[in-house]
Amino acid sequence: MYQTKAYAAESATSLLESASIPRRDPTDKDVQIEILFCGVCHSDLHQVRDEWKSVMPTVYPVVPGHEIVGRVTSVGSSVTKLKPGDLAAVGCMVDADCTCAECQADRENLCPSGVFTYNSPDKHGTAPVTYGGYSNSIVVDEHFALRVPENLDLAGTAPLLCAGITTYSPIKRYGVGPGMKVGIVGLGGLGHMGVKFAHALGAHTVVFTTSPGKKEDALRLGADEVIISRNEDEMQKHAGSFNFILDTVSAPHDINALLGMLATDGNLTLVGASEQPMEVSGFSLLFGRRSLSGSIIGGIAQTQEMLDFCGEKNITADVEVIPIQKVNEAYERLLKSDVKYRFCIDMESLKTA
């Protein structure tokens, strides 16, 4: 093992501060990556503050970060996917059993033995749990390391490893493309990526928002239309016309009103889950044979497909780059939705933290 610098929280009420953490020495199948940028996801805040303790209690110290972009510094003797000097990325997973039906179907994200990039039991025994990307370096099995297109801005690429694949996966699953009318509910960290992907795939893209002030930005990002969801006349005008709707909102809201916007056999997919149950009327689904589903990130092959697509279309997240010394301030701003549209940490700043 070796020690590397990181930013960690020691308790649910602690600020993130400079710390030293262990990493395993690379095995013959491992890739060691110097982390250049790490995105800040809202789930980082939830886990640092132990707000998901009923489902995923936080083990302290916690080092967040699962939107990692960096440069390969060394590889094991069996590694063929990457070489020293290559740009590489790590997303929300660092291990799975790779033998179950889900893994065999390239759905490692659904593996019952999957290991998240941080706050999961570390199967290598380096530490009690895995430590994430708010650190100088990371070591992962080559299967979970991804290639980064050379043409992409690295800071804007980091959030693709969570916000990007979270929205890309269901959009691809439901065949979004030309001739389809697609709705994106919410224009935040997830929603702005949904707009970019739906637009790039050739769909007629419509943003649902409660904020009239977001209309101009939605159109800039690629939306063809914007619906103010509190305006009943606007909602009624589009009722029953959408083939697919991606709902990125994590606060409680009216699911039935959105289901009513779907055309026959239309689907509404949730990627922003409210912690509070939301009522769904059976009639909202029965009429029109509509469906309601959920989605969580994507498998490794699909994540690589997404990165390659972004390279081809020159798609990255809209980011505000910050030094790691401002990450606690960024968390407070996240609570106020005060960012367009993702924070990304320049990890060079950790060297002076």
Side-chain angles (χ1 to χ4, degrees):
M1 292 190 297
Y2 69 96
Q3 295 288 314
T4 192
K5 205 168 184 180
Y7 243 49
E10 295 290 339
S11 74
T13 56
S14 300
L15 295 176
L16 287 153
E17 295 179 326
S18 183
S20 179
I21 59 169
R23 295 291 193 195
R24 70 178 184 269
D25 292 325
T27 68
D28 59 347
K29 298 190 301 179
D30 283 338
V31 175
Q32 185 180 46
I33 300 168
E34 177 193 5
I35 301 173
L36 302 176
F37 291 95
C38 186
V40 176
C41 181
H42 210 287
S43 58
D44 296 348
L45 186 155
H46 286 306
Q47 293 210 46
V48 163
R49 299 185 178 183
D50 202 17
E51 293 172 351
W52 288 347
K53 57 187 170 185
S54 62
V55 179
M56 193 182 298
T58 302
V59 176
Y60 295 96
V62 59
V63 178
H66 57 205
E67 299 177 346
I68 299 165
V69 171
R71 196 169 294 278
V72 176
T73 53
S74 70
V75 299
S77 59
S78 300
V79 172
T80 59
K81 191 174 180 180
L82 293 158
K83 64 183 186 303
D86 286 349
L87 292 173
V90 178
C92 301
M93 302 173 288
V94 291
D95 270 311
D97 63 34
C98 296
T99 59
C100 70
E102 299 294 357
C103 286
Q104 291 301 303
D106 292 327
R107 296 191 296 256
E108 297 93 339
N109 55 310
L110 302 179
C111 173
S113 302
V115 177
F116 292 122
T117 305
Y118 67 92
N119 199 44
S120 274
D122 185 353
K123 61 191 280 186
H124 296 275
T126 311
V129 292
T130 52
Y131 295 137
Y134 293 12
S135 57
N136 275 333
S137 69
I138 191 167
V139 177
V140 296
D141 185 291
E142 72 164 325
H143 182 72
F144 295 90
L146 299 138
R147 299 181 304 277
V148 176
E150 294 278 351
N151 62 303
L152 294 179
D153 171 74
L154 296 186
T157 298
L160 300 180
L161 279 302
C162 180
I165 187 58
T166 294
T167 51
Y168 180 87
S169 185
I171 282 173
K172 289 291 289 186
R173 188 178 312 124
Y174 287 96
V176 167
M180 293 184 70
K181 185 175 180 181
V182 171
I184 307 295
V185 185
L187 194 67
L190 292 175
H192 92 289
M193 290 306 310
V195 172
K196 291 187 179 192
F197 285 137
H199 172 76
L201 288 164
H204 183 84
T205 305
V206 182
V207 168
F208 291 85
T209 179
T210 58
S211 306
K214 290 188 176 180
K215 182 174 182 178
E216 184 178 338
D217 228 21
L219 297 173
R220 175 186 66 82
L221 291 164
D224 297 287
E225 296 182 73
V226 178
I227 296 173
I228 307 304
S229 55
R230 289 175 176 157
N231 186 315
E232 292 186 13
D233 290 339
E234 287 188 32
M235 292 287 281
Q236 189 57 40
K237 176 184 172 183
H238 291 268
S241 66
F242 285 85
N243 305 108
F244 176 73
I245 296 175
L246 184 70
D247 188 343
T248 73
V249 175
S250 57
H253 56 288
D254 189 351
I255 289 289
N256 296 296
L258 293 170
L259 288 169
M261 307 303 288
L262 292 172
T264 300
D265 292 327
N267 170 266
L268 170 66
T269 293
L270 300 175
V271 291
S274 169
E275 292 181 30
Q276 302 173 35
M278 294 186 289
E279 290 188 4
V280 177
S281 166
F283 291 106
S284 298
L285 299 172
L286 296 173
F287 289 99
R289 296 191 309 207
R290 299 160 178 145
S291 63
L292 173 64
S293 59
S295 187
I296 182 169
I297 53 173
I300 296 300
Q302 189 176 57
T303 305
Q304 187 62 64
E305 175 191 309
M306 179 270 306
L307 285 171
D308 293 342
F309 179 77
C310 288
E312 176 189 339
K313 300 293 185 180
N314 200 28
I315 294 173
T316 55
D318 284 24
V319 296
E320 179 179 335
V321 179
I322 60 168
I324 201 160
Q325 292 85 349
K326 290 193 175 181
V327 71
N328 294 299
E329 176 187 325
Y331 277 22
E332 294 306 315
R333 288 178 55 192
L334 265 183
L335 291 173
K336 304 171 186 175
S337 299
D338 179 22
V339 58
K340 287 188 175 180
Y341 281 94
R342 302 286 280 202
F343 287 113
C344 185
I345 304 167
D346 181 347
M347 297 308 299
E348 179 72 20
S349 61
L350 183 58
K351 294 176 182 177
T352 58

